[in-house]
Amino acid sequence: MTVGQTSGPTRGRAPLGLTLPAGVALTFLVLPVIAVVVRAPWASLVDELSSGEARVALRLSLVTTSISTLACLTFGVPLAWLLARTAFRGRSLVRALVTLPLVLPPVVGGVALLLALGRRGIVGQYLLAWFGLSFPFTTTAVVLAQTFVALPFLVISVEGAFRASDERYDDAAATLGASRWLTFSRVTVPLALPGIVSGAVLSWARALGEFGATITFAGNFPGTTRTMPTEVYLALQSNIDAAIALSLVLIVVSLVVLALLRERWLSGVSA
Amino acid sequence: MMARLRRTAPCVLVATTLLAAAGCGGGSNESSGAGSSTTLTVFAASSLTGTFGELEKTFEADHPGVNVQVSLDSSTALATQITQGAPADVLATADQSSMQIIVDDGDNAAKPVSFASNTMAIVTPPDNPAGIKTLDDLDGTDFVLCDPSVPCGSVAAEIFKNAGVTAKPVSLEDKVTAVLSKVTLGEADAGLVYVSDAQAAGDQVMTIDIPTDVNVVTPYYIAAVKDAPGPALAGDWIDLVNSQAGQQVLNQAGFGPP
Amino acid sequence: MSLLASFVVRRPEHSTTIDLDVEPGRVIGLIGPNGAGKSTTLRALAGLARISSGEISLDSHILAAEGVHIPPHQRDVGFVFQDHLLFPHLSALDNVAFGPRARGVRRRTARARARDWLERLDVGDFADRRPRELSGGQAQRVAIARALASEPAMLLLDEPTAALDASGAMTLRTQLRRHLSEFDGVSIIVTHTALDAMLLADRLVVLDAGEIVQSGTPADVASRPRTQHVAALVGLNLLRGDAVDGVVSVPGRASIIAAEQLNGPAFAAFPPSAVSLYAGRPDGSPRNVWSGTVTSIAPHGDALRVLIDADMPLLADITPAATATLGLLPGSRVWASVKATEVSVYPA
């Protein structure tokens, strides 16, 4: 630490005890991605990807993850609000149940969805008998599987954001004549928006990578239920180059989306 | 002084425990043969689940101290893994083209040998909700096949071609056991699986034969992998599979002769 | 639009009992030490807290009663918070327009009305600024505009000048005086500042430990305080004790001789300016003489206010010159005297 420098960190350089482990973490995370880029079959990339299968799978992935992210927002934000702003008996139990899909192995989640909403499921059998509704082997099932695994991410992020925002603003809004709904939509949500955005990104990312529950509950058919991860898994069995090429596509798509999200939106424009 | 000891003592204890555990972990592999390990790794097509499971017990009884590890997956996946360096001693596939994958890569120790054959059958849930009797009845139902990239899928596709069936399945699974489970769970109206799988499923499914004039007989192949850790054991395993005892096990499970 | 509030708010640690009858247009100053129940009172009136018993009615509409609790957004009450609580994500204009819009006024009309109010509070130039771009005083004025823009029947202010410096507070006070006098509803202002209490309120209500202990015009309360808090607020020396023929005493502590004859429980009060300090025991007419130690000396306008630890804590206002002559420093021993004629006594 040199005294008297006019530029540089005011509290001295970052300590080695922190930069070293951080560097290890960063390397660990980035290395596999770099490996994919390095080993990608650049020469035959266009051939591998121009097969309709890749485009179909990618399109299916993008469409289903958009819908499931919207579903997560629509149903998750109110649940987060309830957990953060109201006090009801069994609240901590509800919170624990919400986080359950996070610890369930995805395949187990898929089996659970089958047992609930499959043709012989505890609810599914009635849906089939009364309305002729059957979920397995449909794109709807893909969306359901993705939403199931991604919803906890959104609820937890948004609940945190609601908790962090000052409840006194709600008081102020009430004294100005805003009903609870108006307060929610005009004050609470705008102030918690960065948290909601990052929650949505997290759940979108989780939905995009979802595989185990999807393949178990929805099945595996090109165009209907074969998402990108399933396509990669299948390709891996017989054509490693195709698998790498598809993985590269997924990585690029994810990076583009994340790059589009400016840090400003994620870190907040609140008080 | 005492405060210092109190802090360092736990650290020393943890370090010692870790070292001891690491040391113990590596000690279970004692050599009993000339430089060979006591584990035999067999990669087998998932339709061989029951039969190879039985042979595993026989082999371990005949070779005390040997542990047989059978890895089951689609033949194509296993073959591809071997070309990527997976540590298998033996590969058993459900068709020729997946065995060809390792042959083309030069990973086989000797020429592959056919040890059994299989045909396919239609399976439905026990109550046959869609009332299927023939291949043509599959049209319009929720039936499931294997993906054409794996043996059970390419065979099914050939059968469909033979029978002139153009019906589309609702799902293309990555291995035959996945097809079977969709049917046993009641999610699919029907599926095409190997006769051996249908037999193994017993009461959980209703089996419908496919006429022999459209059915396809697929040969199963077995080969030892080159540069495997235990070539002698691999050879023993292949011998067991081809022996009268092994063939009987396969026969009883519904497999045909090689 | 008068307020009739007679209620009790019961909490685990303490309870607050309020009895207020306020005519429209009046400004009530609510003062008292911390924890006395002032904020609880305001929150109960606004509907941000429930009352345990009693009734609140505004303009003959019942806001709260046994088994009845009208939520805040359905009460016609405006609230100015201590730290303004302007919505950070809205401009000053949109903040002020929030109330009218919440009540169904069309956007354009609401914004026009908001602009008008901002002008009235002299912050029209800042209409498009975000709250974080405003100074404390500007933000507080926007907050007042925001509360008034909904044209409430009652205005509640929680220490509006507390977060401002002296000159900012004075500006705001002047503004408030004007607007409160123009406001035709009931205003209740909680304050710790003597100037707010004296200049803004028509009537002062003193709360202590959840009870109303004194109520009257600012002048009355200031000249005859009944609590140490108010005495300190207005800068008076106060002793509460028993009067016997004009001598108010607290057994074992202090006694003060006053000029009036009074008997019974009483207060004795005298201003710091009435206290004279000496290096040695003074002789002559003053009949109240004490000796003590200087605890602190602070500037007070042109004079210096000296706090002395004697039989009772004493505040004395001394010229700087006198301080120098006496060589006063914290810890110095000093004699103080007050003429009996300068001491006012009144029944407790």
Side-chain angles (χ1 to χ4, degrees):
Chain A
M1 274 190 294
T2 325
V3 177
Q5 278 180 312
T6 50
S7 62
T10 50
R11 293 170 64 188
R13 296 223 321 265
L16 210 60
L18 292 175
T19 52
L20 218 55
V24 171
L26 193 62
T27 311
F28 182 55
L29 287 173
V30 175
L31 192 62
V33 177
I34 293 178
V36 174
V37 175
V38 166
R39 286 289 171 88
W42 293 104
S44 56
L45 198 66
V46 178
D47 291 329
E48 303 285 6
L49 295 176
S50 59
S51 70
E53 288 155 7
R55 262 185 296 121
V56 167
L58 185 61
R59 192 165 155 276
L60 185 69
S61 272
L62 291 176
V63 168
T64 51
T65 53
S66 306
I67 300 174
S68 52
T69 306
L70 257 141
C72 285
L73 282 168
T74 310
F75 298 102
V77 170
L79 180 58
W81 184 84
L82 227 78
L83 286 171
R85 283 281 193 267
T86 63
F88 56 92
R89 298 189 71 185
R91 189 167 60 159
S92 23
L93 179 65
V94 171
R95 197 179 287 119
L97 287 173
V98 167
T99 51
L100 197 60
L102 280 178
V103 300
L104 276 181
V107 174
V108 175
V111 172
L113 282 168
L114 266 181
L115 294 173
L117 297 171
R119 298 192 336 174
R120 312 246 168 128
I122 54 175
V123 172
Q125 55 177 315
Y126 297 111
L127 290 176
L128 183 62
W130 298 344
F131 308 109
L133 268 179
S134 172
F135 291 123
F137 314 123
T138 60
T139 312
T140 313
V142 177
V143 173
L144 287 174
Q146 289 174 349
T147 310
F148 182 75
V149 299
L151 196 58
F153 284 95
L154 186 112
V155 173
I156 290 174
S157 304
V158 174
E159 193 201 336
F162 282 154
R163 278 186 186 284
S165 79
D166 203 333
E167 215 165 326
R168 295 185 305 156
Y169 289 119
D170 288 17
D171 284 349
T175 62
L176 289 166
S179 61
R180 282 197 101 175
W181 171 261
L182 213 64
T183 305
F184 169 76
S185 55
R186 296 282 194 78
V187 177
T188 319
V189 165
L191 285 177
L193 204 58
I196 296 176
V197 170
S198 39
V201 172
L202 230 64
S203 55
W204 173 81
R206 179 66 189 89
L208 188 66
E210 171 40 42
F211 170 66
T214 316
I215 201 172
T216 312
F217 179 52
N220 186 354
F221 195 79
T224 317
T225 53
R226 190 175 285 176
T227 54
M228 272 301 257
T230 314
E231 188 70 54
V232 172
Y233 175 66
L234 212 55
L236 205 58
Q237 313 214 357
S238 47
N239 185 351
I240 302 275
D241 279 347
I244 301 176
L246 291 166
S247 305
L248 194 63
V249 171
L250 259 184
I251 291 173
V252 168
V253 168
S254 311
L255 282 177
V256 166
V257 173
L258 289 174
L260 284 177
L261 279 168
R262 314 216 344 237
E263 202 201 305
R264 200 171 65 97
W265 299 349
L266 290 169
S267 58
V269 190
S270 44
Chain B
M1 179 62 180
M2 279 308 288
R4 220 132 148 271
L5 261 177
R6 236 180 250 132
R7 258 186 286 136
T8 53
C11 298
V12 172
L13 191 63
V14 171
T16 324
T17 317
L18 283 173
L19 281 169
C24 284
S28 59
N29 276 342
E30 301 142 18
S31 323
S32 67
S36 64
S37 70
T38 53
T39 310
L40 175 68
T41 310
V42 177
F43 276 18
S46 38
S47 44
L48 293 163
T49 310
T51 47
F52 270 35
E54 240 191 272
L55 291 175
E56 181 184 338
K57 293 196 196 91
T58 316
F59 193 86
E60 280 172 355
D62 289 342
H63 295 75
V66 174
N67 178 27
V68 180
Q69 302 262 46
V70 182
S71 214
L72 299 151
D73 206 334
S74 77
S75 313
T76 353
L78 294 168
T80 310
Q81 283 168 25
I82 291 175
T83 63
Q84 297 287 307
D89 298 312
V90 180
L91 175 67
T93 64
D95 70 358
Q96 198 221 358
S97 48
S98 20
M99 180 58 77
Q100 196 64 38
I101 293 176
I102 69 162
V103 169
D104 287 343
D105 208 57
D107 288 319
N108 52 321
K111 191 164 183 285
V113 155
S114 171
F115 67 97
S117 62
N118 217 338
T119 53
M120 299 201 94
I122 305 172
V123 286
T124 72
D127 55 343
N128 196 351
I132 293 168
K133 295 195 192 60
T134 66
L135 283 169
D136 292 312
D137 293 337
L138 290 174
D139 204 349
T141 65
D142 283 349
F143 73 97
V144 179
L145 298 177
C146 287
D147 191 80
S149 61
V150 296
C152 53
S154 62
V155 173
E158 216 186 307
I159 293 177
F160 268 36
K161 204 167 102 187
N162 290 349
V165 174
T166 50
K168 289 259 172 284
V170 286
S171 193
L172 295 167
E173 303 295 334
D174 66 300
K175 45 182 170 297
V176 75
T177 36
V179 173
L180 191 61
S181 58
K182 285 278 193 302
V183 172
T184 54
L185 277 171
E187 293 308 326
D189 293 326
L192 249 66
V193 299
Y194 292 115
V195 160
S196 53
D197 299 308
Q199 191 171 312
D203 291 335
Q204 291 182 299
V205 294
M206 174 188 288
T207 311
I208 298 159
D209 293 327
I210 295 175
T212 31
D213 56 338
V214 297
N215 212 337
V216 173
V217 179
T218 66
Y220 275 50
Y221 283 92
I222 192 165
V225 177
K226 201 197 280 189
D227 298 330
L233 283 173
D236 285 349
W237 177 268
I238 296 175
D239 288 340
L240 172 62
V241 166
N242 281 315
S243 71
Q244 195 180 29
Q247 289 292 300
Q248 194 170 23
V249 167
L250 287 161
N251 206 301
Q252 277 174 344
F255 285 87
Chain C
M1 289 220 266
S2 49
L3 172 72
L4 266 164
S6 183
F7 61 86
V8 178
V9 178
R10 249 178 285 275
R11 289 282 152 78
E13 315 86 48
H14 51 255
S15 66
T16 305
T17 310
I18 296 294
D19 202 344
L20 286 174
D21 186 350
V22 191
E23 286 146 54
R26 291 246 165 263
V27 181
I28 303 291
L30 201 57
I31 59 179
N34 284 325
K38 310 189 297 293
S39 293
T40 310
T41 306
L42 279 192
R43 289 179 71 85
L45 289 170
L48 295 170
R50 280 181 181 262
I51 61 173
S52 311
S53 64
E55 195 178 281
I56 303 176
S57 76
L58 183 64
D59 200 12
S60 309
H61 294 129
I62 299 207
L63 298 183
E66 298 278 336
V68 177
H69 173 83
I70 307 290
H73 65 276
Q74 285 170 0
R75 302 191 186 196
D76 209 1
V77 176
F79 206 118
V80 179
F81 296 85
Q82 192 176 69
D83 30 11
H84 61 79
L85 285 188
L86 292 176
F87 303 125
H89 62 291
L90 297 176
S91 66
L93 187 71
D94 285 325
N95 259 287
V96 178
F98 189 91
R101 292 212 60 206
R103 294 198 159 104
V105 175
R106 300 177 73 102
R107 191 166 172 195
R108 222 197 230 169
T109 322
R111 297 190 95 207
R113 208 194 284 184
R115 214 173 277 281
D116 184 46
W117 272 105
L118 286 172
E119 291 289 341
R120 285 210 242 172
L121 268 291
D122 259 340
V123 276
D125 292 337
F126 307 114
D128 295 319
R129 299 252 186 110
R130 288 284 168 96
R132 66 173 178 280
E133 295 163 8
L134 301 172
S135 75
Q138 292 158 355
Q140 203 64 309
R141 277 183 273 161
V142 174
I144 294 167
R146 182 175 75 170
L148 288 173
S150 308
E151 286 163 12
M154 175 162 67
L155 185 65
L156 304 172
L157 303 103
D158 195 353
E159 302 194 44
T161 61
L164 306 176
D165 60 25
S167 66
M170 202 60 227
T171 317
L172 187 69
R173 203 170 288 129
T174 321
Q175 288 269 349
L176 263 180
R177 195 175 156 82
R178 206 176 90 219
H179 290 289
L180 289 177
S181 65
E182 285 170 5
F183 182 58
D184 48 7
V186 170
S187 308
I188 302 185
I189 171 167
V190 164
T191 181
H192 273 281
T193 318
L195 278 174
D196 282 353
M198 297 301 134
L199 292 180
L200 299 175
D202 299 322
R203 198 165 102 221
L204 287 183
V205 171
V206 185
L207 271 183
D208 199 338
E211 304 278 333
I212 298 181
V213 293
Q214 188 172 11
S215 166
T217 65
D220 280 343
V221 173
S223 58
R224 295 178 162 227
R226 302 174 71 83
T227 55
Q228 279 297 343
H229 174 82
V230 181
L233 189 73
V234 299
L236 273 185
N237 289 296
L238 185 73
L239 181 73
R240 184 194 178 136
D242 285 301
V244 177
D245 291 336
V247 179
V248 180
S249 56
V250 177
R253 268 188 61 207
S255 71
I256 301 181
I257 305 163
E260 297 161 46
Q261 290 294 315
L262 192 67
N263 288 291
F267 286 104
F270 52 94
S273 51
V275 180
S276 311
L277 297 183
Y278 306 88
R281 191 180 236 284
D283 35 44
S285 60
R287 288 194 278 161
N288 290 302
V289 173
W290 305 283
S291 84
T293 325
V294 175
T295 312
S296 67
I297 307 175
H300 189 83
D302 288 343
L304 291 172
R305 182 159 285 185
V306 184
L307 180 64
I308 300 162
D309 186 23
D311 289 338
M312 57 179 268
L314 272 180
L315 281 173
D317 280 348
I318 309 291
T319 63
T323 317
T325 313
L326 292 167
L328 288 183
L329 283 172
S332 311
R333 288 207 64 85
V334 72
W335 287 83
S337 78
V338 179
K339 294 203 179 100
T341 47
E342 306 242 24
V343 178
S344 71
V345 280
Y346 44 99

